[in-house]
Amino acid sequence: MAQETYSPGLEGVIATITEISYLDVDHGQILVRGYDLIELARHLSYVPVAYLVIHGHLPNDEELAAFDQRLREDAVVPQEVYQLFQLMPKTTAVMDAQRTAISFLASYEDPAMLRTPTPENDIAMGTRLLARMPVITANAYRVLHDQPVVEPDPSLGFSENFLYMITGQKPDETARRIFDLTLTCYIEHEMPNSTFAARVIASTLSDLYGAVTGATASLKGPLHGGANEAVAHMLLDILEQGGADVAERYILDRLARKERIMGFGHRVYMKKYDPRAALMKDFIPELAKRHPQGEELYRIYQIVEETMHREKGLFPNADYPVGLIYYLLGIPIDLDTPIFLVARTAGLVAHVAEQHAHNRLFRPRVRYEGPRDLHPTQVTVH
Ligand code: SDX
């Protein structure tokens, strides 16, 4: 029997061997296919980085053109997807609508491909799904809020098209560039709960759509991807209660009540700054200037960060700057976590393909502490 080890929450446990990414905390690097994610985000846009994550190497001009074309051509979804959203109660969470649509899209795949979990099939279906994720995400929100569907515009790039379908207007270059940078920061991050969920599901040789559906359910949780929405609500709550002048007291009161401040802390970074948060925070002032509440919200943002570091020794994770950036870009808060999932779809596709390439069924054991030696007495069925 393998040596019995138990670590709550699998903290510190190596779950798999991968060539996709690694959080090299000691060197402050997020390694993605051998590159530093922050360097990739500074120099490249989301689409070539998505190609790198999925295919394992940066694309040459021909590969990039073909991949970009594939993402534009496959973006159109069956009209039945919009009818599905229309069937949903208006109170449906966008994340739940997104999760349902991902499952629904599986039924439009060739059943033979779904039943054949090869890396090649995962990448073919995964690229198609990535192309469609912005369309189902933006329009899930629109239909649930009785706004007209905005179909993808094939003349626009991935990030520009995504923002266009969310806001109904084509974004300016500053908004496009910053939004694209956040998507790249979110693209892949080693073995978070949602990626682990996807690999656990894929390890039964179940299909990519099922794996991404499971990852979606995981990412919704406020301890995980749901934190970016909670950050936006918190900053606006402080603004409403008096703004920067009350920010420190607001945090101290919540900490005194042993509450978690969303957007801070991280299982792996522990008491270190998430390199993604360090990069993205530098783009907030530029956006704050363009928004009527921007300057005050940015002051609140800085006071909350200072207070959390002084009181708890904790730094922001990626969700903290994103919560403010998306609000300043005019993105509805309910879309924050769904957008995170769209960006992370490239990473999920890569992990599902890698799991199917070198599969070993995940089946951990337990340490049993329940009762023993009980026997059923004569149970009379009434
Ligand atoms: C993401 O895994 C990934 O990579 C995820 C992600 C990705 O890209 O996929 O990076 C995206 O999910 C980022 C994390 C977003 N979540 C939040 O911001 C939620 C708030 N954060 C915490 O709940 C917490 O920091 C976790 C969940 C992120 C990590 O929790 P751990 O590793 O289980 O740490 P813990 O709960 O054991 O906390 C250790 C101590 C505790 O203090 P004590 O009770 O021992 O005194 O730190 C405290 C905690 O109370 N603490 C916090 C805190 N985070 C930890 N206290 C207040 N606010 C917080 N945010």
Side-chain angles (χ1 to χ4, degrees), residues 8 11 23 185-195 219 221-228 231 254-255 258-271 274 276 308 312 314-320 340 344:
E11 185 154 7
L23 304 188
C185 284
Y186 266 149
I187 195 168
E188 165 59 18
H189 205 239
E190 193 195 83
M191 195 50 70
N193 187 285
S194 47
T195 302
L219 194 71
L223 290 188
H224 192 3
N228 54 22
V231 166
R254 289 185 65 181
L255 290 176
K258 294 285 180 209
E259 290 177 26
R260 293 296 175 95
I261 308 301
M262 298 297 140
F264 288 86
H266 194 279
R267 172 65 60 81
V268 177
Y269 293 126
M270 314 285 269
K271 306 251 181 185
D274 183 334
R276 301 167 298 174
M308 282 301 286
K312 299 290 285 187
L314 291 172
F315 290 106
N317 55 57
D319 288 329
Y320 188 55
F340 183 162
R344 185 58 58 83

Side-chain angles (χ1 to χ4, degrees), residues 74 98 189 202 263 286-287 340 363:
D74 280 355
Q98 191 184 37
H189 205 239
E286 193 175 350
L287 290 178
F340 183 162
R363 203 286 184 208

